[in-house]
Amino acid sequence: MKVTVDRNICCGYGVCVETIDEVFAFDGEEKLTITSDIKLEWQQKVRFACQQCPSQALTLED
Ligand code: SF4
């Protein structure tokens, strides 16, 4: 599983970070960062976060 973010449309509300902060986080400049090592047990929450993103800024690849 791989997730990418379109930072041009990410509004930074942090729904994804609230859903699973092991994967999504903000860096020092409040830009969203995503871990490249998504563990199997996190995948369900990651899918949910992608569906819930209010900007549809997250793209999921299996
Ligand atoms: S939920 Fe979507 S818009 Fe909000 S911080 Fe995450 S990627 Fe950005």
Side-chain angles (χ1 to χ4, degrees):
M1 172 183 274
K2 183 182 174 198
V3 182
T4 54
V5 61
D6 183 340
R7 287 181 166 178
N8 293 319
I9 59 174
C10 170
C11 60
Y13 285 140
V15 175
C16 55
V17 180
E18 286 174 18
T19 303
I20 178 160
D21 62 6
E22 292 92 340
V23 174
F24 302 100
F26 290 115
D27 67 12
E29 297 176 347
E30 296 298 307
K31 301 274 189 191
L32 186 72
T33 61
I34 305 173
T35 183
S36 57
D37 181 22
I38 299 175
K39 296 182 181 175
L40 207 57
E41 64 262 34
W42 296 341
Q43 291 191 0
Q44 192 174 354
K45 279 190 174 178
V46 170
R47 281 183 205 284
F48 183 75
C50 291
Q51 290 165 357
Q52 295 300 309
C53 172
S55 303
Q56 299 184 329
L58 298 171
T59 301
L60 188 62
E61 294 171 41
D62 282 309

